[in-house]
Short mmCIF file of all heavy atoms in Angstrom, two decimals:
data_model
loop_
_atom_site.label_atom_id
_atom_site.label_comp_id
_atom_site.label_asym_id
_atom_site.label_seq_id
_atom_site.Cartn_x
_atom_site.Cartn_y
_atom_site.Cartn_z
N MET A 930 -42.63 72.84 -272.08
CA MET A 930 -44.03 72.98 -271.66
C MET A 930 -44.83 73.64 -272.78
O MET A 930 -44.31 74.48 -273.52
CB MET A 930 -44.13 73.86 -270.40
CG MET A 930 -43.44 73.28 -269.19
SD MET A 930 -44.24 71.82 -268.57
CE MET A 930 -44.96 72.43 -267.06
N ILE A 931 -46.09 73.26 -272.86
CA ILE A 931 -46.98 73.86 -273.84
C ILE A 931 -48.07 74.64 -273.12
O ILE A 931 -48.37 74.36 -271.95
CB ILE A 931 -47.61 72.81 -274.77
CG1 ILE A 931 -48.28 71.69 -273.96
CG2 ILE A 931 -46.56 72.23 -275.71
CD1 ILE A 931 -49.03 70.69 -274.80
N THR A 932 -48.65 75.60 -273.80
CA THR A 932 -49.70 76.42 -273.21
C THR A 932 -51.07 75.80 -273.46
O THR A 932 -51.36 75.38 -274.58
CB THR A 932 -49.65 77.84 -273.80
OG1 THR A 932 -48.37 78.41 -273.50
CG2 THR A 932 -50.74 78.72 -273.20
N VAL A 933 -51.87 75.73 -272.42
CA VAL A 933 -53.21 75.15 -272.49
C VAL A 933 -54.23 76.29 -272.36
O VAL A 933 -54.20 77.04 -271.39
CB VAL A 933 -53.44 74.12 -271.37
CG1 VAL A 933 -54.82 73.50 -271.49
CG2 VAL A 933 -52.35 73.06 -271.38
N HIS A 934 -55.10 76.39 -273.34
CA HIS A 934 -56.08 77.48 -273.34
C HIS A 934 -57.43 77.01 -272.79
O HIS A 934 -57.72 75.81 -272.78
CB HIS A 934 -56.26 78.01 -274.77
CG HIS A 934 -55.00 78.59 -275.34
ND1 HIS A 934 -54.49 79.81 -274.96
CD2 HIS A 934 -54.13 78.07 -276.25
CE1 HIS A 934 -53.36 80.04 -275.62
NE2 HIS A 934 -53.12 79.00 -276.41
N ASP A 935 -58.25 77.96 -272.38
CA ASP A 935 -59.63 77.64 -271.99
C ASP A 935 -60.30 76.97 -273.19
O ASP A 935 -60.09 77.39 -274.34
CB ASP A 935 -60.39 78.91 -271.62
CG ASP A 935 -59.89 79.50 -270.30
OD1 ASP A 935 -59.29 78.75 -269.50
OD2 ASP A 935 -60.08 80.71 -270.08
N GLY A 936 -61.07 75.94 -272.94
CA GLY A 936 -61.72 75.21 -274.02
C GLY A 936 -60.96 73.96 -274.42
O GLY A 936 -61.47 73.15 -275.20
N GLN A 937 -59.75 73.79 -273.90
CA GLN A 937 -58.95 72.61 -274.21
C GLN A 937 -58.96 71.64 -273.02
O GLN A 937 -59.18 72.04 -271.87
CB GLN A 937 -57.51 73.01 -274.55
CG GLN A 937 -57.44 73.83 -275.84
CD GLN A 937 -56.02 74.21 -276.22
OE1 GLN A 937 -55.21 74.56 -275.36
NE2 GLN A 937 -55.74 74.17 -277.51
N CYS A 938 -58.71 70.37 -273.33
CA CYS A 938 -58.84 69.30 -272.34
C CYS A 938 -58.15 69.58 -271.01
O CYS A 938 -58.68 69.22 -269.95
CB CYS A 938 -58.32 68.00 -272.92
SG CYS A 938 -59.30 67.36 -274.30
N GLY A 939 -56.99 70.17 -271.04
CA GLY A 939 -56.22 70.38 -269.81
C GLY A 939 -56.96 71.21 -268.77
O GLY A 939 -56.65 71.12 -267.58
N THR A 940 -57.92 72.02 -269.21
CA THR A 940 -58.69 72.83 -268.26
C THR A 940 -60.12 72.32 -268.13
O THR A 940 -60.97 73.01 -267.55
CB THR A 940 -58.71 74.32 -268.69
OG1 THR A 940 -59.35 74.43 -269.97
CG2 THR A 940 -57.31 74.89 -268.76
N CYS A 941 -60.37 71.12 -268.63
CA CYS A 941 -61.73 70.52 -268.58
C CYS A 941 -61.87 69.64 -267.34
O CYS A 941 -60.92 68.96 -266.93
CB CYS A 941 -61.95 69.69 -269.83
SG CYS A 941 -63.53 68.80 -269.87
N THR A 942 -63.03 69.64 -266.77
CA THR A 942 -63.28 68.85 -265.55
C THR A 942 -63.14 67.35 -265.78
O THR A 942 -62.91 66.60 -264.84
CB THR A 942 -64.68 69.19 -264.97
OG1 THR A 942 -64.78 68.67 -263.66
CG2 THR A 942 -65.80 68.61 -265.84
N TYR A 943 -63.25 66.90 -267.03
CA TYR A 943 -63.17 65.47 -267.34
C TYR A 943 -61.76 64.99 -267.64
O TYR A 943 -61.55 63.79 -267.79
CB TYR A 943 -64.09 65.14 -268.52
CG TYR A 943 -65.54 65.39 -268.23
CD1 TYR A 943 -66.25 66.37 -268.90
CD2 TYR A 943 -66.21 64.65 -267.26
CE1 TYR A 943 -67.58 66.61 -268.63
CE2 TYR A 943 -67.54 64.88 -266.97
CZ TYR A 943 -68.23 65.86 -267.67
OH TYR A 943 -69.55 66.09 -267.38
N PHE A 944 -60.81 65.90 -267.73
CA PHE A 944 -59.42 65.51 -268.06
C PHE A 944 -58.83 64.73 -266.89
O PHE A 944 -58.81 65.19 -265.76
CB PHE A 944 -58.59 66.77 -268.33
CG PHE A 944 -57.21 66.49 -268.86
CD1 PHE A 944 -57.04 65.84 -270.06
CD2 PHE A 944 -56.09 66.89 -268.15
CE1 PHE A 944 -55.76 65.59 -270.57
CE2 PHE A 944 -54.81 66.66 -268.64
CZ PHE A 944 -54.65 66.00 -269.86
N GLY A 945 -58.37 63.50 -267.18
CA GLY A 945 -57.81 62.66 -266.13
C GLY A 945 -58.83 61.74 -265.50
O GLY A 945 -58.50 60.96 -264.61
N ALA A 946 -60.09 61.82 -265.98
CA ALA A 946 -61.16 60.93 -265.50
C ALA A 946 -61.18 60.83 -263.98
O ALA A 946 -61.40 61.85 -263.32
CB ALA A 946 -61.03 59.55 -266.15
N ASP A 947 -60.93 59.65 -263.42
CA ASP A 947 -61.08 59.45 -261.98
C ASP A 947 -59.95 60.01 -261.13
O ASP A 947 -60.04 59.99 -259.89
CB ASP A 947 -61.21 57.95 -261.67
CG ASP A 947 -62.48 57.37 -262.26
OD1 ASP A 947 -63.46 58.11 -262.40
OD2 ASP A 947 -62.47 56.17 -262.58
N HIS A 948 -58.89 60.49 -261.75
CA HIS A 948 -57.79 61.04 -260.94
C HIS A 948 -57.51 62.51 -261.31
O HIS A 948 -56.39 62.98 -261.27
CB HIS A 948 -56.52 60.19 -261.06
CG HIS A 948 -56.01 60.05 -262.47
ND1 HIS A 948 -56.39 59.04 -263.30
CD2 HIS A 948 -55.15 60.82 -263.18
CE1 HIS A 948 -55.78 59.18 -264.48
NE2 HIS A 948 -55.02 60.26 -264.42
N SER A 949 -58.57 63.24 -261.63
CA SER A 949 -58.40 64.64 -262.04
C SER A 949 -57.94 65.54 -260.90
O SER A 949 -57.58 66.69 -261.13
CB SER A 949 -59.71 65.17 -262.64
OG SER A 949 -60.73 65.13 -261.67
N ASP A 950 -57.97 65.01 -259.67
CA ASP A 950 -57.50 65.82 -258.53
C ASP A 950 -56.01 65.62 -258.25
O ASP A 950 -55.49 66.15 -257.28
CB ASP A 950 -58.32 65.51 -257.27
CG ASP A 950 -58.29 64.03 -256.89
OD1 ASP A 950 -57.84 63.21 -257.72
OD2 ASP A 950 -58.71 63.70 -255.77
N GLU A 951 -55.34 64.86 -259.12
CA GLU A 951 -53.88 64.69 -258.96
C GLU A 951 -53.19 66.05 -259.05
O GLU A 951 -53.55 66.86 -259.90
CB GLU A 951 -53.34 63.85 -260.13
CG GLU A 951 -52.96 62.45 -259.76
CD GLU A 951 -52.37 61.70 -260.94
OE1 GLU A 951 -51.67 62.32 -261.76
OE2 GLU A 951 -52.65 60.50 -261.03
N PRO A 952 -52.18 66.30 -258.20
CA PRO A 952 -51.50 67.59 -258.22
C PRO A 952 -51.02 68.01 -259.61
O PRO A 952 -51.13 69.18 -259.98
CB PRO A 952 -50.32 67.38 -257.26
CG PRO A 952 -50.81 66.33 -256.32
CD PRO A 952 -51.70 65.43 -257.12
N LYS A 953 -50.51 67.06 -260.37
CA LYS A 953 -50.00 67.38 -261.72
C LYS A 953 -51.11 67.96 -262.60
O LYS A 953 -50.87 68.90 -263.37
CB LYS A 953 -49.45 66.09 -262.34
CG LYS A 953 -48.92 66.23 -263.74
CD LYS A 953 -48.30 64.95 -264.24
CE LYS A 953 -49.32 63.87 -264.49
NZ LYS A 953 -48.75 62.65 -265.08
N LEU A 954 -52.32 67.42 -262.47
CA LEU A 954 -53.42 67.89 -263.30
C LEU A 954 -54.01 69.19 -262.76
O LEU A 954 -54.44 70.05 -263.52
CB LEU A 954 -54.49 66.80 -263.41
CG LEU A 954 -54.00 65.47 -263.99
CD1 LEU A 954 -55.15 64.51 -264.21
CD2 LEU A 954 -53.23 65.68 -265.28
N VAL A 955 -54.01 69.33 -261.44
CA VAL A 955 -54.48 70.58 -260.84
C VAL A 955 -53.57 71.72 -261.27
O VAL A 955 -54.02 72.83 -261.59
CB VAL A 955 -54.53 70.47 -259.30
CG1 VAL A 955 -54.83 71.82 -258.67
CG2 VAL A 955 -55.58 69.44 -258.87
N GLN A 956 -52.25 71.45 -261.31
CA GLN A 956 -51.28 72.48 -261.71
C GLN A 956 -51.54 72.98 -263.12
O GLN A 956 -51.37 74.17 -263.41
CB GLN A 956 -49.85 71.91 -261.63
CG GLN A 956 -49.24 71.99 -260.24
CD GLN A 956 -49.20 73.41 -259.69
OE1 GLN A 956 -48.70 74.31 -260.35
NE2 GLN A 956 -49.75 73.62 -258.52
N ILE A 957 -51.96 72.09 -264.00
CA ILE A 957 -52.25 72.51 -265.38
C ILE A 957 -53.39 73.52 -265.37
O ILE A 957 -53.35 74.53 -266.09
CB ILE A 957 -52.61 71.29 -266.25
CG1 ILE A 957 -51.39 70.39 -266.39
CG2 ILE A 957 -53.10 71.75 -267.62
CD1 ILE A 957 -51.68 69.06 -267.07
N ARG A 958 -54.40 73.27 -264.54
CA ARG A 958 -55.55 74.18 -264.50
C ARG A 958 -55.15 75.54 -263.92
O ARG A 958 -55.72 76.56 -264.28
CB ARG A 958 -56.68 73.55 -263.68
CG ARG A 958 -57.09 72.18 -264.22
CD ARG A 958 -58.47 71.79 -263.77
NE ARG A 958 -58.55 71.36 -262.39
CZ ARG A 958 -58.44 70.09 -261.99
NH1 ARG A 958 -58.19 69.14 -262.86
NH2 ARG A 958 -58.56 69.78 -260.72
N ILE A 959 -54.18 75.54 -263.04
CA ILE A 959 -53.76 76.79 -262.40
C ILE A 959 -52.81 77.57 -263.31
O ILE A 959 -52.96 78.78 -263.50
CB ILE A 959 -53.08 76.51 -261.04
CG1 ILE A 959 -54.09 75.93 -260.06
CG2 ILE A 959 -52.43 77.77 -260.48
CD1 ILE A 959 -53.46 75.41 -258.76
N THR A 960 -51.84 76.87 -263.89
CA THR A 960 -50.77 77.55 -264.64
C THR A 960 -51.03 77.60 -266.14
O THR A 960 -50.38 78.37 -266.85
CB THR A 960 -49.43 76.82 -264.42
OG1 THR A 960 -49.51 75.51 -265.00
CG2 THR A 960 -49.09 76.72 -262.94
N HIS A 961 -51.92 76.75 -266.62
CA HIS A 961 -52.18 76.64 -268.08
C HIS A 961 -50.92 76.19 -268.83
O HIS A 961 -50.75 76.50 -270.00
CB HIS A 961 -52.73 77.95 -268.66
CG HIS A 961 -54.16 78.18 -268.31
ND1 HIS A 961 -55.14 78.43 -269.27
CD2 HIS A 961 -54.81 78.18 -267.12
CE1 HIS A 961 -56.31 78.58 -268.67
NE2 HIS A 961 -56.13 78.44 -267.36
N LYS A 962 -50.06 75.46 -268.15
CA LYS A 962 -48.87 74.88 -268.77
C LYS A 962 -48.88 73.38 -268.54
O LYS A 962 -49.27 72.91 -267.46
CB LYS A 962 -47.58 75.46 -268.15
CG LYS A 962 -47.43 76.97 -268.33
CD LYS A 962 -47.08 77.31 -269.75
CE LYS A 962 -46.92 78.82 -269.91
NZ LYS A 962 -46.91 79.22 -271.33
N ALA A 963 -48.41 72.62 -269.55
CA ALA A 963 -48.41 71.16 -269.43
C ALA A 963 -47.23 70.57 -270.19
O ALA A 963 -46.71 71.19 -271.12
CB ALA A 963 -49.72 70.59 -269.97
N GLU A 964 -46.85 69.36 -269.78
CA GLU A 964 -45.83 68.62 -270.52
C GLU A 964 -46.39 68.28 -271.90
O GLU A 964 -47.55 67.86 -272.01
CB GLU A 964 -45.46 67.34 -269.78
CG GLU A 964 -44.87 67.54 -268.40
CD GLU A 964 -43.48 68.14 -268.45
OE1 GLU A 964 -42.85 68.06 -269.52
OE2 GLU A 964 -43.04 68.70 -267.43
N PRO A 965 -45.59 68.40 -272.94
CA PRO A 965 -46.11 68.17 -274.29
C PRO A 965 -46.50 66.73 -274.59
O PRO A 965 -47.32 66.49 -275.46
CB PRO A 965 -44.95 68.61 -275.19
CG PRO A 965 -43.74 68.61 -274.32
CD PRO A 965 -44.21 68.85 -272.91
N ASP A 966 -45.94 65.77 -273.85
CA ASP A 966 -46.22 64.36 -274.16
C ASP A 966 -47.26 63.74 -273.21
O ASP A 966 -47.45 62.53 -273.21
CB ASP A 966 -44.94 63.54 -274.13
CG ASP A 966 -44.24 63.61 -272.79
OD1 ASP A 966 -44.64 64.45 -271.94
OD2 ASP A 966 -43.28 62.86 -272.57
N LEU A 967 -47.95 64.58 -272.43
CA LEU A 967 -48.93 64.07 -271.47
C LEU A 967 -50.19 63.55 -272.19
O LEU A 967 -50.73 64.24 -273.07
CB LEU A 967 -49.32 65.17 -270.48
CG LEU A 967 -50.34 64.80 -269.41
CD1 LEU A 967 -49.78 63.74 -268.47
CD2 LEU A 967 -50.77 66.03 -268.63
N VAL A 968 -50.63 62.36 -271.84
CA VAL A 968 -51.88 61.80 -272.37
C VAL A 968 -52.68 61.27 -271.18
O VAL A 968 -52.15 60.55 -270.33
CB VAL A 968 -51.60 60.65 -273.37
CG1 VAL A 968 -52.92 60.04 -273.84
CG2 VAL A 968 -50.78 61.14 -274.54
N GLU A 969 -53.97 61.63 -271.12
CA GLU A 969 -54.81 61.24 -269.99
C GLU A 969 -56.16 60.73 -270.51
O GLU A 969 -56.60 61.15 -271.58
CB GLU A 969 -55.06 62.45 -269.07
CG GLU A 969 -53.85 62.91 -268.29
CD GLU A 969 -53.49 61.96 -267.15
OE1 GLU A 969 -54.35 61.18 -266.73
OE2 GLU A 969 -52.33 62.01 -266.70
N PRO A 970 -56.82 59.88 -269.72
CA PRO A 970 -58.16 59.46 -270.12
C PRO A 970 -59.17 60.59 -269.94
O PRO A 970 -59.02 61.42 -269.04
CB PRO A 970 -58.46 58.30 -269.16
CG PRO A 970 -57.61 58.56 -267.97
CD PRO A 970 -56.37 59.25 -268.48
N CYS A 971 -60.18 60.58 -270.78
CA CYS A 971 -61.28 61.54 -270.65
C CYS A 971 -62.42 60.87 -269.91
O CYS A 971 -62.81 59.76 -270.25
CB CYS A 971 -61.75 61.99 -272.02
SG CYS A 971 -63.32 62.89 -271.94
N GLY A 972 -62.96 61.54 -268.90
CA GLY A 972 -64.02 60.96 -268.09
C GLY A 972 -65.42 61.38 -268.49
O GLY A 972 -66.38 61.08 -267.79
N HIS A 973 -65.57 62.04 -269.63
CA HIS A 973 -66.90 62.44 -270.08
C HIS A 973 -67.77 61.18 -270.24
O HIS A 973 -67.30 60.19 -270.82
CB HIS A 973 -66.80 63.21 -271.39
CG HIS A 973 -68.09 63.86 -271.79
ND1 HIS A 973 -69.16 63.14 -272.25
CD2 HIS A 973 -68.47 65.16 -271.80
CE1 HIS A 973 -70.16 63.97 -272.52
NE2 HIS A 973 -69.76 65.21 -272.25
N PRO A 974 -69.01 61.21 -269.76
CA PRO A 974 -69.85 60.01 -269.83
C PRO A 974 -69.97 59.42 -271.24
O PRO A 974 -70.09 58.21 -271.39
CB PRO A 974 -71.21 60.51 -269.33
CG PRO A 974 -70.91 61.72 -268.52
CD PRO A 974 -69.66 62.33 -269.10
N GLU A 975 -69.93 60.25 -272.25
CA GLU A 975 -70.07 59.73 -273.62
C GLU A 975 -68.76 59.15 -274.15
O GLU A 975 -68.74 58.45 -275.14
CB GLU A 975 -70.58 60.83 -274.55
CG GLU A 975 -72.02 61.22 -274.24
CD GLU A 975 -72.59 62.19 -275.25
OE1 GLU A 975 -72.13 62.20 -276.40
OE2 GLU A 975 -73.49 62.96 -274.85
N HIS A 976 -67.65 59.49 -273.51
CA HIS A 976 -66.34 59.00 -273.98
C HIS A 976 -65.85 57.80 -273.19
O HIS A 976 -65.02 57.05 -273.68
CB HIS A 976 -65.30 60.12 -273.90
CG HIS A 976 -65.57 61.26 -274.83
ND1 HIS A 976 -65.09 62.53 -274.62
CD2 HIS A 976 -66.29 61.30 -275.98
CE1 HIS A 976 -65.50 63.31 -275.60
NE2 HIS A 976 -66.24 62.60 -276.43
N ARG A 977 -66.35 57.62 -271.99
CA ARG A 977 -65.86 56.53 -271.13
C ARG A 977 -65.93 55.17 -271.81
O ARG A 977 -64.97 54.41 -271.75
CB ARG A 977 -66.62 56.51 -269.80
CG ARG A 977 -66.02 57.42 -268.77
CD ARG A 977 -66.75 57.25 -267.44
NE ARG A 977 -66.25 58.19 -266.45
CZ ARG A 977 -65.29 57.91 -265.59
NH1 ARG A 977 -64.71 56.73 -265.62
NH2 ARG A 977 -64.89 58.82 -264.72
N PRO A 978 -67.05 54.84 -272.47
CA PRO A 978 -67.11 53.51 -273.11
C PRO A 978 -66.05 53.34 -274.20
O PRO A 978 -65.70 52.22 -274.55
CB PRO A 978 -68.51 53.46 -273.71
CG PRO A 978 -69.29 54.51 -273.00
CD PRO A 978 -68.31 55.57 -272.62
N LEU A 979 -65.56 54.45 -274.71
CA LEU A 979 -64.57 54.40 -275.80
C LEU A 979 -63.15 54.45 -275.28
O LEU A 979 -62.19 54.31 -276.04
CB LEU A 979 -64.80 55.57 -276.76
CG LEU A 979 -66.21 55.68 -277.35
CD1 LEU A 979 -66.35 56.96 -278.16
CD2 LEU A 979 -66.49 54.47 -278.23
N ASP A 980 -62.98 54.71 -273.97
CA ASP A 980 -61.66 54.86 -273.37
C ASP A 980 -60.83 55.90 -274.13
O ASP A 980 -59.68 55.65 -274.49
CB ASP A 980 -60.92 53.52 -273.32
CG ASP A 980 -59.65 53.59 -272.46
OD1 ASP A 980 -59.60 54.46 -271.56
OD2 ASP A 980 -58.71 52.82 -272.72
N LEU A 981 -61.46 57.03 -274.38
CA LEU A 981 -60.79 58.10 -275.11
C LEU A 981 -59.59 58.64 -274.34
O LEU A 981 -59.70 58.93 -273.14
CB LEU A 981 -61.78 59.24 -275.38
CG LEU A 981 -61.21 60.43 -276.16
CD1 LEU A 981 -60.86 60.02 -277.59
CD2 LEU A 981 -62.21 61.58 -276.17
N GLN A 982 -58.46 58.75 -275.00
CA GLN A 982 -57.23 59.28 -274.41
C GLN A 982 -56.91 60.61 -275.09
O GLN A 982 -56.91 60.69 -276.32
CB GLN A 982 -56.07 58.31 -274.63
CG GLN A 982 -56.35 56.89 -274.13
CD GLN A 982 -56.37 56.79 -272.60
OE1 GLN A 982 -55.50 57.34 -271.93
NE2 GLN A 982 -57.36 56.10 -272.07
N VAL A 983 -56.67 61.63 -274.28
CA VAL A 983 -56.50 62.97 -274.86
C VAL A 983 -55.26 63.67 -274.29
O VAL A 983 -54.77 63.33 -273.21
CB VAL A 983 -57.74 63.84 -274.59
CG1 VAL A 983 -58.94 63.31 -275.36
CG2 VAL A 983 -58.06 63.92 -273.11
N THR A 984 -54.80 64.66 -275.02
CA THR A 984 -53.69 65.49 -274.56
C THR A 984 -54.25 66.78 -273.95
O THR A 984 -55.44 67.09 -274.15
CB THR A 984 -52.75 65.87 -275.72
OG1 THR A 984 -53.39 66.90 -276.48
CG2 THR A 984 -52.45 64.66 -276.60
N PRO A 985 -53.44 67.54 -273.24
CA PRO A 985 -53.95 68.78 -272.63
C PRO A 985 -54.47 69.78 -273.66
O PRO A 985 -55.29 70.64 -273.32
CB PRO A 985 -52.72 69.34 -271.91
CG PRO A 985 -51.86 68.16 -271.65
CD PRO A 985 -52.06 67.25 -272.81
N VAL A 986 -54.01 69.69 -274.91
CA VAL A 986 -54.46 70.66 -275.91
C VAL A 986 -55.47 70.06 -276.89
O VAL A 986 -55.78 70.68 -277.90
CB VAL A 986 -53.27 71.29 -276.67
CG1 VAL A 986 -52.43 72.14 -275.73
CG2 VAL A 986 -52.41 70.22 -277.33
N SER A 987 -55.98 68.87 -276.57
CA SER A 987 -57.10 68.34 -277.34
C SER A 987 -58.37 69.06 -276.91
O SER A 987 -58.33 69.91 -276.01
CB SER A 987 -57.25 66.83 -277.10
OG SER A 987 -56.09 66.14 -277.49
N GLY A 988 -59.51 68.68 -277.51
CA GLY A 988 -60.75 69.33 -277.11
C GLY A 988 -61.94 68.66 -277.77
O GLY A 988 -61.79 67.84 -278.67
N CYS A 989 -63.14 69.01 -277.27
CA CYS A 989 -64.37 68.49 -277.89
C CYS A 989 -65.52 69.37 -277.43
O CYS A 989 -65.37 70.24 -276.58
CB CYS A 989 -64.61 67.03 -277.52
SG CYS A 989 -65.44 66.79 -275.94
N ALA A 990 -66.71 69.10 -277.99
CA ALA A 990 -67.89 69.91 -277.67
C ALA A 990 -68.43 69.65 -276.27
O ALA A 990 -69.30 70.37 -275.79
CB ALA A 990 -68.98 69.65 -278.71
N GLY A 991 -67.90 68.62 -275.61
CA GLY A 991 -68.33 68.32 -274.25
C GLY A 991 -67.54 69.05 -273.20
O GLY A 991 -67.72 68.81 -271.99
N TYR A 992 -66.68 69.96 -273.63
CA TYR A 992 -65.83 70.70 -272.67
C TYR A 992 -66.64 71.31 -271.55
O TYR A 992 -67.64 71.98 -271.79
CB TYR A 992 -65.06 71.80 -273.42
CG TYR A 992 -64.23 72.67 -272.51
CD1 TYR A 992 -62.98 72.29 -272.07
CD2 TYR A 992 -64.74 73.91 -272.07
CE1 TYR A 992 -62.23 73.07 -271.24
CE2 TYR A 992 -63.99 74.72 -271.23
CZ TYR A 992 -62.74 74.29 -270.82
OH TYR A 992 -62.01 75.08 -269.98
N THR A 993 -66.18 71.08 -270.33
CA THR A 993 -66.79 71.66 -269.14
C THR A 993 -65.67 72.18 -268.26
O THR A 993 -64.82 71.39 -267.81
CB THR A 993 -67.60 70.60 -268.36
OG1 THR A 993 -68.55 70.00 -269.25
CG2 THR A 993 -68.31 71.21 -267.18
N PRO A 994 -65.59 73.49 -268.05
CA PRO A 994 -64.46 74.02 -267.30
C PRO A 994 -64.34 73.42 -265.90
O PRO A 994 -65.34 73.28 -265.20
CB PRO A 994 -64.74 75.53 -267.22
CG PRO A 994 -66.06 75.76 -267.85
CD PRO A 994 -66.56 74.49 -268.45
N ALA A 995 -63.12 73.05 -265.54
CA ALA A 995 -62.86 72.50 -264.21
C ALA A 995 -62.75 73.63 -263.20
O ALA A 995 -62.34 74.74 -263.54
CB ALA A 995 -61.57 71.69 -264.22
N LYS A 996 -63.12 73.33 -261.96
CA LYS A 996 -62.89 74.30 -260.89
C LYS A 996 -61.38 74.37 -260.67
O LYS A 996 -60.70 73.34 -260.68
CB LYS A 996 -63.56 73.85 -259.61
CG LYS A 996 -65.08 73.95 -259.69
CD LYS A 996 -65.70 73.71 -258.32
CE LYS A 996 -67.22 73.79 -258.42
NZ LYS A 996 -67.89 72.56 -258.06
N VAL A 997 -60.87 75.54 -260.46
CA VAL A 997 -59.44 75.70 -260.19
C VAL A 997 -59.23 75.75 -258.70
O VAL A 997 -59.56 76.72 -258.05
CB VAL A 997 -58.88 76.97 -260.85
CG1 VAL A 997 -57.40 77.13 -260.56
CG2 VAL A 997 -59.13 76.94 -262.34
N ALA A 998 -58.67 74.65 -258.18
CA ALA A 998 -58.35 74.48 -256.76
C ALA A 998 -59.46 74.95 -255.86
O ALA A 998 -59.84 75.92 -255.54
CB ALA A 998 -57.04 75.13 -256.40
S1 SF4 B 2004 -62.30 65.29 -274.73
FE1 SF4 B 2004 -63.85 66.84 -274.28
S2 SF4 B 2004 -64.84 66.17 -272.36
FE2 SF4 B 2004 -62.89 65.04 -272.58
S3 SF4 B 2004 -61.38 66.19 -271.38
FE3 SF4 B 2004 -61.29 66.90 -273.52
S4 SF4 B 2004 -62.68 68.67 -273.67
FE4 SF4 B 2004 -63.16 67.53 -271.78
#
């Protein structure tokens, strides 16, 4: 497992796009731990047309903290 910090995709509301409420993704926001090989789509409106795929420790200036449970 890798550690996910505030400001990184794993704790962003757009991580996982339309399925960000999946238990696996919610757990990342709670524990700040993620599988190292996890890749998810980003649902940010500016990234959707590009089908951007990100890891929990990626990041960008569009970061928006997700609500934790
Ligand atoms: S790429 Fe940016 S907007 Fe998308 S999940 Fe990561 S931090 Fe959030």
Side-chain angles (χ1 to χ4, degrees):
M930 297 292 252
I931 53 174
T932 299
V933 182
H934 298 285
D935 290 338
Q937 295 181 319
C938 293
T940 62
C941 176
T942 193
Y943 296 115
F944 188 62
D947 295 332
H948 59 269
S949 62
D950 57 347
E951 253 183 36
K953 178 175 70 176
L954 302 187
V955 172
Q956 276 302 308
I957 294 172
R958 303 201 285 268
I959 294 171
T960 65
H961 285 234
K962 299 287 180 194
E964 298 290 341
D966 59 350
L967 180 65
V968 177
E969 290 286 340
C971 168
H973 190 288
E975 292 186 26
H976 294 156
R977 273 185 184 267
L979 304 174
D980 191 26
L981 180 67
Q982 305 289 315
V983 293
T984 76
V986 294
S987 299
C989 84
Y992 176 83
T993 305
K996 290 189 181 119
V997 180

